[in-house]
């Protein structure tokens, strides 16, 4: 009896297993389902940083959605120290009558509430400011020069025509070196204007500025505009900037700090001395020698500008485009009658 029961149990178990196996089999002709992989979350690519067009530095998101402001800044001894000059993106120094110089300064990345003292325009200013677009502020000028600037594709803010309080005379300087413009308010009235396009190429990422690759180490860049104006730039390793002097003395801002630049771009330019009597006109459309000083080194090359709207192109002696370091720049428009000396 025990053996029979065991056989029956074994038979029953076999039948159950066979039935289960048959139930598990799929009907003939039924397509097999391919298992789907479990979806995994894909990494969102990080957008590249937005660079300030006139400095090449990383810009805060949405923080530079405004036009640039250019202003004609006085460089007479009576105008020093200037207001806001230390916060510029780019400054052009140009020869004016009497062997003096004047600045056409550009602000975009860092906009002060006030800048000045502002003075009158000169015939080369439309060719300098046109590529930036935006706004230009100045005190006035000869009618022919004002008409030239009014014809340029920029918004003109002129002290002589101001009836809305954008300009005032301060108590720190004597007339005519005392006209200040409320820069923040002026730009705030024109937020519909676009931001400026980049004017120079900057070293990005792992790349380095051209002067550090192709240039020669030097300690001083000396420029002579005339017997009255000879600015210079000395390399300061501690701050990693070029420090500015004028006529052998440190050039100071309103806080008593020496003016400085990440890049000094020196261009040898021709001067038209005849078209406007005693008013020299720097010829900005053309070509000439260039020296670009960055990081304690200077690279020699050529500059060119093919139209009023065109930006300045810089090429080294071996034919490569010159890139600048991220930061502010001063452009020295030295007349061919002057001189440029790169001092080791």
């Amino acid at each position: 009896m025990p053996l029979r029961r065991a056989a029956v149990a074994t038979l029953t178990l076999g039948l159950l297993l066979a039935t289960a196996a048959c139930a598990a089999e799929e009907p003939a002709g039924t397509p097999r389902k391919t298992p789907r992989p479990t979806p995994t979350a894909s990494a969102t690519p990080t957008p590249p940083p937005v660079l300030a067009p006139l400095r090449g530095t990383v810009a805060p998101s949405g923080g530079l959605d405004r036009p640039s402001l250019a202003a004609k800044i006085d460089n007479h001894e009576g105008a020093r120290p200037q207001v806001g000059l230390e916060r510029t993106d780019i400054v052009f120094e140009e020869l004016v009558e009497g062997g003096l110089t004047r600045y056409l300064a550009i602000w975009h990345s860092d906009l002060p509430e006030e800048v000045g003292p502002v003075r009158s325009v000169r015939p080369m200013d439309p060719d300098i400011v046109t590529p930036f677009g935006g706004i230009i502020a100045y005190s006035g000028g000869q009618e022919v020069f004002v008409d030239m600037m009014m014809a340029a594709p920029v918004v003109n803010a002129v002290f002589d025509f101001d009836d809305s309080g954008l300009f005032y005379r301060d108590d720190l300087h004597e007339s005519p070196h005392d006209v200040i413009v409320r820069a923040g308010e002026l730009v705030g009235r024109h937020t519909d204007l676009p931001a400026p396009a980049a004017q120079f190429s900057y070293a990005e990422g792992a790349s380095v500025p051209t002067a550090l690759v192709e240039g020669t180490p030097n300690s001083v860049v000396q420029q002579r505009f005339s017997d009255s104006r000879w600015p210079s730039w000395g390399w300061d390793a501690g701050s990693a900037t070029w420090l500015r002097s004028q006529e052998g003395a440190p050039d100071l801002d309103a806080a008593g700090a020496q003016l400085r630049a990440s890049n000094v771009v020196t261009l040898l330019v021709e001067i038209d001395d005849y078209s406007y009597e005693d008013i020299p006109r720097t010829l900005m459309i053309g070509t000439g020698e260039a020296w670009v000083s960055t990081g304690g080194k200077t690279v020699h090359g050529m500059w060119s500008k093919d139209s009023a709207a065109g930006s300045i192109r810089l090429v080294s002696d071996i034919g490569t485009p010159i890139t600048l370091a991220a930061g502010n720049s001063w452009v020295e428009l030295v007349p061919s009658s002057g001189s440029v000396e790169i001092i080791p």
Side-chain angles (χ1 to χ4, degrees), residues 131-200:
F132 296 90
I135 309 161
I136 183 167
Y138 55 99
S139 64
Q142 292 187 23
E143 184 177 358
V144 60
F145 304 150
V146 173
D147 289 345
M148 290 165 65
M149 185 58 75
M150 288 286 185
V154 294
V155 171
N156 284 238
V158 188
F159 171 64
D160 289 352
F161 308 146
D162 178 50
D163 58 2
S164 59
L166 281 174
F167 296 83
Y168 72 94
R169 293 187 182 274
D170 72 5
D171 297 326
L172 302 176
H173 305 85
E174 294 184 1
S175 181
H177 316 292
D178 59 348
V179 177
I180 307 297
V181 59
R182 295 183 170 92
E185 183 178 347
L186 174 55
V187 172
R189 295 185 185 186
H190 298 282
T191 55
D192 57 318
L193 296 175
Q199 298 299 304
F200 296 114

Side-chain angles (χ1 to χ4, degrees), residues 94-118:
E94 60 190 30
L95 182 70
V96 294
E97 59 275 16
L100 303 181
T101 63
R102 212 167 268 187
Y103 304 135
L104 199 157
I106 316 287
W107 290 266
H108 181 244
S109 302
D110 183 11
L111 181 66
E113 282 304 304
E114 299 180 340
V115 302
V118 298

Side-chain angles (χ1 to χ4, degrees), residues 1-10:
M1 180 65 72
L3 290 173
R4 180 181 289 181
R5 287 179 180 172
V8 172
T10 300

